[in-house]
Amino acid sequence: MTARSVEPTFVEAFTPKLVTVLREGYHFRDFRADVLAGLTVAIVAVPLSMAIAIASGVTPDRGLYTAIIGGFIVSFLGGSRFQIGGPAGAFIVLVATTVALHGVEGLLLATVIAGVVQLVVGLLRLGTFIKYIPFPVTIGFTAGISVIIFASQLTELLGLTLAGKEPGELIHKLAAISAALPTINAAAVAVSVPTIALIVAIRYFRPYWPAMLMSVGVASVAVWLLGLPVETIGTRFGGIPQTLPAPMLPVISLEKITEVLPAALSFALLGSIESLLSAVVADSMSGERHRSNCELVAQGIANIVSPFFGGFCVTGTIARTATNVRSGAHGPVAGMLHAVFLLLFMLVAAPLASYIPLAALGAVLAVVAWNMAERHAFAMLLRASRSDAVVLVVTFLLVIFSGLIEGILVGFGIAALLFLHRMAKMVEVENARSLTDGDESVRVNGNGRKAYDVALATDPDVAVHRISGAFFFGAAANVGAALDSIGDHPKAYVIDFSDVPVIDSSGAAAIEGFVHKTHRRRAPVYITGASPAIRRTLLIHGVKPPYVRFRSDLAEGVKAAHSRVAHSRGTHSKLAQSGVARRDAAAEEEEEEALT
């Protein structure tokens, strides 16, 4: 008996996890745990949000706006108990490209459109399909992004002065950086390298301390005390405002929508993948289960609202979400409080952010890129199998040298083709007659099924075959060739479908072509063991009487085929005398009439 999961109702599928947590009972000890976790995550999010914004080509305050507005909405309405929303490193390349092509206004509009797409995808319950993205694609994609992020921070890490605007493509970027190496700033290197070392040391010796914030703070104090000639947030951007901006509608026009639509779709796809992947990571760490479509709806609303306050793409962030879980969060209140603490930082400590050196923020992103690389998983997939290695490497190289979406789509396409190839090779056509040699009648084939009894092959004029596996377009040609290769032209065929779980139109068309050939030779075909769904597909494609006869099981089909052959020989054997042949013919006529 097969157990099937009950499809949740609309209300159940889209009830925010906040409601679920409150229904369970929310006590002061839970609130205290959420306060501590929210404060911890906010401490991590302060330097990351600003660093990601700067690397994306916008001002650092927009990173904080995104984390405050988007982070609050994701936790308030989301389907994950521990998800932390905000700007993510995975978006740096896409956001920077969009800003370069369409400006900040184009970025804000693209974010709104992406939010609408995510909202619709979630309401249509299509979020569950994102889980079918193969693991090698995810690892190749993430590793490729880490390379791009690290390359984008070389200018800040080394304090370089480029001759012109920094190129977006990796090859041209590296060429421009190489040409600017003579302008390297020793002071910037003296800030970035110790900052990286300090982050690594704190994480190693005191893993629960806020390594990034502490390291950036130490670097800022050192630059101020020593008067080091390096760029800071204050010298480049003029500081950070101490309040949220008033809501403002992005510039909307049909022409602008058309221009930014490709970027918006990229934001929606990447944001959905990143958010649900982050939710899965939180589930694996906590033992909880997220609601994928509810999470997408929350992400969509966050991306619609965030641009009104100057924010850009919001998504679930794996590092901050994992920090939230490890910090002992009880539920979504921790994520909401993380946004509140970020707002308090803007209100109270924004002037101090002017002293943060950009080399230190570059060091933060360099560490983020190193952690994103998934080095162990990458190496494991290279050793796992040739197909996984191909998908991994192709996705990785395309992400680096072509684009993020191209890498995902091509990697997914190659993985799907390789999977179909493996599935097609698993489909077998087994001939009972070949099993009469030696002791093969008691063998068990590769799928663990006992082979046919040799009694099925006692009549050389009856060919008995079993098809095993998913009979789809990838296997249709091989199955058709196997059936056509039957020698000696038997006078009747029995094809057992009892081990075929599914068939598509290509498989049905292959059977239809075969039965038409046998019909011209006046050789009847009996299909046995077909489920109602498979029988319906075959009937729709013309596999029906008088070309074939359907029987419930193999024994009945073989018996009918023997009777038909005996009757066609014109012999008046005991089978004919007992009326078996007549009963079989009557059954065929009755079935044909019922099917018609």
Side-chain angles (χ1 to χ4, degrees):
M1 182 177 180
T2 303
R4 295 186 178 180
S5 59
V6 179
E7 184 75 15
T9 64
F10 183 88
V11 174
E12 292 172 341
F14 293 99
T15 299
K17 278 290 183 175
L18 176 63
V19 176
T20 302
V21 169
L22 295 178
R23 285 175 178 171
E24 293 172 353
Y26 193 73
H27 308 287
F28 178 75
R29 66 177 180 274
D30 302 323
F31 177 73
R32 181 175 58 190
D34 284 336
V35 169
L36 293 175
L39 179 60
T40 303
V41 176
I43 290 172
V44 173
V46 167
L48 269 179
S49 299
M50 292 189 292
I52 291 171
I54 293 171
S56 300
V58 296
T59 54
D61 54 323
R62 293 188 182 273
L64 293 174
Y65 301 156
T66 304
I68 294 169
I69 302 299
F72 186 90
I73 294 174
V74 166
S75 296
F76 183 68
L77 299 176
S80 173
R81 197 175 184 121
F82 303 105
Q83 183 84 281
I84 299 295
F91 278 88
I92 288 176
V93 180
L94 283 176
V95 173
T97 303
T98 304
V99 171
L101 294 176
H102 309 290
V104 174
E105 287 294 329
L107 170 64
L108 300 182
L109 180 58
T111 303
V112 172
I113 298 173
V116 173
V117 172
Q118 287 181 306
L119 180 63
V120 172
V121 168
L123 291 176
L124 293 177
R125 302 193 184 193
L126 300 178
T128 51
F129 290 100
I130 295 176
K131 66 185 178 183
Y132 294 119
I133 294 180
F135 183 63
V137 174
T138 303
I139 297 301
F141 163 75
T142 307
I145 289 177
S146 68
V147 172
I148 295 174
I149 292 175
F150 182 79
S152 70
Q153 295 308 300
L154 289 175
T155 304
E156 305 295 354
L157 292 171
L158 303 177
L160 301 177
T161 302
L162 300 180
K165 190 174 183 180
E166 184 172 332
E169 297 181 2
L170 182 64
I171 299 297
H172 300 302
K173 182 193 296 288
L174 294 178
I177 291 174
S178 299
L181 283 178
T183 66
I184 191 170
N185 185 345
V189 177
V191 171
S192 60
V193 173
T195 301
I196 293 175
L198 186 57
I199 292 173
V200 173
I202 293 175
R203 284 185 168 181
Y204 182 80
F205 293 105
R206 292 291 185 269
Y208 293 101
W209 288 11
M212 291 184 176
L213 185 65
M214 291 178 65
S215 301
V216 170
V218 170
S220 302
V221 171
V223 168
W224 177 68
L225 286 177
L226 300 176
L228 296 178
V230 296
E231 276 199 293
T232 64
I233 288 179
T235 59
R236 183 179 293 184
F237 301 104
I240 294 177
Q242 289 186 264
T243 59
L244 284 175
M248 184 176 297
L249 186 69
V251 177
I252 300 177
S253 67
L254 183 59
E255 181 183 1
K256 199 67 176 177
I257 291 175
T258 305
E259 290 178 0
V260 302
L261 184 59
L265 295 177
S266 300
F267 291 161
L269 176 60
L270 181 57
S272 300
I273 295 171
E274 185 82 2
S275 296
L276 296 186
L277 180 62
S278 176
V280 169
V281 170
D283 290 348
S284 65
M285 295 178 65
S286 64
E288 299 288 340
R289 297 284 293 176
H290 74 279
R291 300 178 182 125
S292 57
N293 293 304
C294 179
E295 184 64 23
L296 283 185
V297 168
Q299 297 285 339
I301 295 174
N303 278 312
I304 292 172
V305 176
S306 177
F308 286 84
F309 293 89
F312 53 99
C313 306
V314 180
T315 186
T317 56
I318 296 176
R320 277 158 275 175
T321 299
T323 301
N324 191 36
V325 177
R326 286 195 296 264
S327 300
H330 178 73
V333 174
M336 297 161 61
L337 289 174
H338 129 270
V340 172
F341 287 130
L342 287 176
L343 178 60
L344 291 176
F345 167 80
M346 284 193 65
L347 297 176
V348 176
L352 298 177
S354 300
Y355 297 97
I356 296 177
L358 298 182
L361 292 181
V364 168
L365 284 183
V367 174
V368 169
W370 176 257
N371 293 332
M372 283 180 64
E374 300 281 1
R375 303 172 304 282
H376 301 297
F378 198 99
M380 178 269 295
L381 286 172
L382 288 177
R383 298 190 304 266
S385 68
R386 184 177 301 175
S387 60
D388 285 342
V390 168
V391 174
L392 173 72
V393 172
V394 169
T395 304
F396 175 71
L397 293 177
L398 282 176
V399 167
I400 292 176
F401 297 110
S402 181
L404 304 182
I405 301 304
E406 290 88 344
I408 293 175
L409 295 180
V410 174
F412 180 81
I414 293 176
L417 290 175
L418 292 173
F419 171 76
L420 293 176
H421 176 67
R422 289 196 297 269
M423 291 295 294
K425 290 174 66 176
M426 293 178 63
V427 179
E428 302 173 352
V429 180
E430 193 174 357
N431 183 0
R433 187 182 305 172
S434 65
L435 305 182
T436 58
D437 300 330
D439 295 327
E440 289 185 288
S441 60
V442 295
R443 74 179 181 180
V444 175
N445 65 22
N447 293 325
R449 293 183 297 269
K450 188 175 180 180
Y452 288 147
D453 192 340
V454 294
L456 299 177
T458 54
D459 192 339
D461 287 334
V462 177
V464 182
H465 292 267
R466 173 171 62 188
I467 302 176
S468 305
F471 193 2
F472 67 111
F473 63 89
N478 291 337
V479 173
L483 294 175
D484 289 339
S485 65
I486 300 171
D488 301 331
H489 295 303
K491 296 179 180 177
Y493 297 84
V494 179
I495 305 177
D496 185 23
F497 270 73
S498 57
D499 285 323
V500 177
V502 66
I503 188 172
D504 68 356
S505 58
S506 299
I511 295 297
E512 189 248 355
F514 173 73
V515 299
H516 275 77
K517 292 177 183 177
T518 60
H519 184 71
R520 288 195 294 269
R521 298 200 309 265
R522 299 184 180 278
V525 177
Y526 293 85
I527 292 180
T528 65
S531 66
I534 290 177
R535 182 182 292 200
R536 179 177 180 276
T537 301
L538 292 172
L539 290 172
I540 289 174
H541 286 79
V543 184
K544 57 186 178 181
Y547 304 107
V548 298
R549 301 288 187 270
F550 290 95
R551 293 293 180 265
S552 60
D553 56 48
L554 180 61
E556 186 180 346
V558 172
K559 182 179 178 181
H562 286 165
S563 301
R564 185 68 175 267
V565 170
H567 183 73
S568 65
R569 288 170 179 163
T571 60
H572 300 286
S573 60
K574 292 182 179 180
L575 284 175
Q577 293 173 3
S578 63
V580 173
R582 289 192 297 273
R583 286 198 302 272
D584 182 68
E588 290 176 2
E589 293 176 1
E590 182 180 346
E591 182 181 26
E592 181 176 350
E593 182 179 352
L595 290 171
T596 304

